[in-house]
Amino acid sequence: MFKNFVGKWGFLIAGILFLIAAIMPFAEGQTVKVSFFVIGIALLVVGTAIARKRRADTPPKR
């Protein structure tokens, strides 16, 4: 069960954290960290793909 949690939500949480890390300097008047922003978007895309794949692999409800 823990493996399913990490596979499904780990990438999404990591992506959100990277996006927050990218935007934090912007709040202080500095430039956005583009590298963190790109990594965050990539992790969100991978996380959603894994979540969709897991949902497609489950048997249909009756």
Side-chain angles (χ1 to χ4, degrees):
M1 181 168 158
F2 184 70
K3 185 178 181 181
N4 290 341
F5 177 77
V6 172
K8 191 179 235 182
W9 294 103
F11 284 104
L12 295 175
I13 292 170
I16 291 169
L17 288 176
F18 269 97
L19 288 176
I20 290 171
I23 296 174
M24 285 301 286
F26 186 68
E28 298 172 357
Q30 300 173 0
T31 60
V32 176
K33 303 277 186 181
V34 177
S35 58
F36 284 161
F37 189 77
V38 171
I39 292 170
I41 295 294
L43 287 172
L44 286 176
V45 168
V46 169
T48 54
I50 289 173
R52 290 179 61 104
K53 182 176 184 276
R54 298 252 187 223
R55 191 177 325 135
D57 290 344
T58 59
K61 294 181 180 178
R62 290 184 181 192

